[in-house]
Amino acid sequence: MQRVIFNEDHHAFRASAKEYCDRSLVPRMEQFLEEKTIDRAAWLEAGKQGFLGLDVPEEYGGSSVGDYRFNQVFAEEVSKVSASLSSCFGIHYDCAAPYFVDLGTEEQKQRWLPKFCSGEYVAAIGMTEPSGGSDLAALKTTAKRADGGWVLNGSKTFITNGDMADLVIVAARTDPSKGAKGITLFVVEEGMEGFARGRKLDKVGQTESGTSELFFEDLFIADDNVLGELDRGFIHMMERLAQERIGAAVSNIAHATQILDETIEYVKQRKAFGQSVGSFQYNKFLIAELVTKVEVTQAYVDNGVVAHDEDRLSAVDAAKTKWWSAHVQNEVLDACVQLHGGYGYMNEYRVARAWRDARVTKIWAGSNEIMKELIGRDLGL
């Protein structure tokens, strides 16, 4: 079914994004997998092509396109290459950017955003803690007042881009007596004394993303590195979760669609019992169902993107797109592995890697169970 939300500018941008992926990402996937990270050269090239500053005003080095569909297009093209790469770039240009642009002071924007857009700085967001998971209000990392700033102590885990981030937006508790209303955001910079990275985490999937633990021990942060309003960090995070979740939905369905397309070509060629595997009635019906489900989900996500672009996507509707797209993605990729037979379980096949990579999407950006809880509450249940 033809998608109708894009115009000629979006199509031209997609061609540029695909060219970048084909030139700078695809040939180097084995390197990224081996090193468990995306090297700086790929980031610098993305910055040079203007992909990292889509939400950043021109005076700070971005393009300020003011149209979320461009974010969507870039995410889709990168997701076709790897769900892992899409998560790394997405955290930077789609999740972190609004924090800096919306909450940063003029001095902070001048200091950080030009290199953020060029790829010289890579950003991460430090919310999740070892004991917290989706419960952002239960943070244990603390920031205590000191002369001219704050002293930060605590740790974060499962941090995408954590292995190489130059800027980390860290949520810390500044007033324990206020609960969720006593959290503040800070920007921790590479090289600060007391900032340490743990090992690259050994994940089931998304091998090429540099996911790490982060540690803060008596780390002094000047007042100049407070991001947003004091004690309003939880509200700042909640206000920006809708974009994170619609962005996750965009990547989820693009990833599933690409692997399903590749699987359809595979079952056309693969022979068994004298005929193509795809011609067996069960497989034919299964694929018909998967294609329909993917297209229905794509239409739903596209509608969410348009709503977000028009500033009318609610937190609840964003939660719906996030959990449903993750559910469909995993259902589709599990079927794709089955359709490949034994080869689907081999790491050399993209479908096997994609299957592993997708599993986390039902957990991160708020688990699917949390998404359903939000939806249920909205229904008065």
Side-chain angles (χ1 to χ4, degrees):
M1 184 173 293
Q2 183 178 0
R3 299 169 69 186
V4 297
I5 68 169
F6 302 117
N7 60 34
E8 290 304 314
D9 290 338
H10 300 120
H11 295 315
F13 182 75
R14 186 181 297 277
S16 297
K18 184 179 187 306
E19 181 183 359
Y20 163 74
C21 292
D22 290 343
R23 182 183 64 250
S24 300
L25 301 182
V26 174
R28 305 171 67 193
M29 282 302 300
E30 292 304 319
Q31 173 195 337
F32 298 154
L33 286 164
E34 182 178 344
E35 297 177 354
K36 296 184 179 180
T37 193
I38 310 171
D39 69 13
R40 187 69 65 162
W43 286 95
L44 292 172
E45 182 61 25
K48 181 180 179 181
Q49 298 299 321
F51 298 129
L52 303 181
L54 296 173
D55 284 340
V56 178
E58 294 181 14
E59 59 263 36
Y60 307 116
S63 54
S64 190
V65 294
D67 183 343
Y68 190 75
R69 289 172 293 180
F70 286 98
N71 297 46
Q72 178 184 17
V73 166
F74 185 59
E76 289 178 350
E77 292 306 309
V78 177
S79 295
K80 292 176 185 178
V81 180
S82 160
S84 185
L85 300 189
S86 181
S87 68
C88 290
F89 284 118
I91 286 291
H92 179 90
Y93 83 90
D94 200 44
C95 295
Y99 284 90
F100 292 116
V101 173
D102 298 343
L103 304 175
T105 65
E106 180 63 25
E107 185 276 331
Q108 289 173 336
K109 293 175 184 178
Q110 294 284 356
R111 179 162 37 124
W112 294 322
L113 285 178
K115 290 185 177 181
F116 175 97
C117 294
S118 70
E120 294 173 82
Y121 285 169
V122 172
I125 298 181
M127 294 183 185
T128 306
E129 297 188 347
S131 61
S134 296
D135 188 2
L136 296 180
L139 295 176
K140 293 184 178 180
T141 297
T142 62
K144 296 184 178 180
R145 253 300 178 194
D147 186 24
W150 301 80
V151 176
L152 188 69
N153 281 283
S155 64
K156 302 292 180 178
T157 194
F158 311 140
I159 306 305
T160 302
N161 295 340
D163 66 321
M164 67 185 304
D166 304 280
L167 305 171
V168 184
I169 300 170
V170 176
R173 190 169 298 285
T174 44
D175 190 339
S177 68
K178 293 182 178 180
K181 296 181 180 180
I183 294 172
T184 302
L185 302 180
F186 299 87
V187 178
V188 173
E189 300 183 62
E190 165 65 14
M192 284 184 168
E193 186 176 354
F195 173 38
R197 308 172 198 270
R199 60 189 173 89
K200 291 181 185 178
L201 298 175
D202 185 15
K203 307 185 298 295
V204 170
Q206 304 228 5
T207 305
E208 60 270 43
S209 69
T211 307
S212 300
E213 300 166 306
L214 303 179
F215 301 98
F216 319 105
E217 184 175 359
D218 294 332
L219 169 60
F220 178 77
I221 301 182
D223 286 328
D224 290 344
N225 279 44
V226 174
L227 188 63
E229 297 182 48
L230 186 65
D231 292 336
R232 287 181 58 85
F234 185 77
I235 294 173
H236 293 328
M237 289 188 287
M238 292 302 102
E239 289 173 341
R240 284 152 191 85
L241 279 177
Q243 177 154 320
E244 179 181 356
R245 288 168 179 164
I246 190 65
V250 165
S251 296
N252 293 346
I253 197 61
H255 182 234
T257 300
Q258 177 64 26
I259 302 303
L260 178 58
D261 288 346
E262 293 176 16
T263 299
I264 292 171
E265 291 306 309
Y266 176 83
V267 298
K268 287 179 181 178
Q269 303 301 322
R270 176 74 173 174
K271 303 292 183 181
F273 305 102
Q275 62 187 102
S276 69
V277 172
S279 67
F280 298 152
Q281 187 181 65
Y282 176 84
N283 289 343
K284 187 185 301 182
F285 283 12
L286 173 63
I287 292 169
E289 292 173 6
L290 296 176
V291 167
T292 303
K293 188 169 290 188
V294 161
E295 291 189 3
V296 169
T297 303
Q298 185 66 75
Y300 187 59
V301 171
D302 284 351
N303 189 55
V305 167
V306 172
H308 180 58
D309 204 39
E310 296 175 353
D311 198 27
R312 55 181 178 82
L313 179 69
S314 69
V316 172
D317 285 342
K320 293 173 185 175
T321 64
K322 186 274 171 184
W323 92 260
W324 179 251
S325 64
H327 171 78
V328 170
Q329 176 190 27
N330 278 269
E331 181 181 359
V332 167
L333 293 177
D334 190 73
C336 288
V337 168
Q338 193 72 17
L339 287 164
H340 276 76
Y343 291 105
Y345 207 63
M346 299 296 106
N347 281 327
E348 63 190 276
Y349 277 71
R350 267 170 54 83
V351 67
R353 295 177 182 175
W355 178 59
R356 296 199 318 270
D357 290 348
R359 184 56 184 83
V360 73
T361 67
K362 295 198 288 185
I363 299 173
W364 67 14
S367 69
N368 279 10
E369 292 77 14
I370 294 295
M371 299 301 96
K372 294 175 186 179
E373 176 69 19
L374 295 174
I375 297 164
R377 288 179 189 175
D378 186 63
L379 296 171
L381 301 175

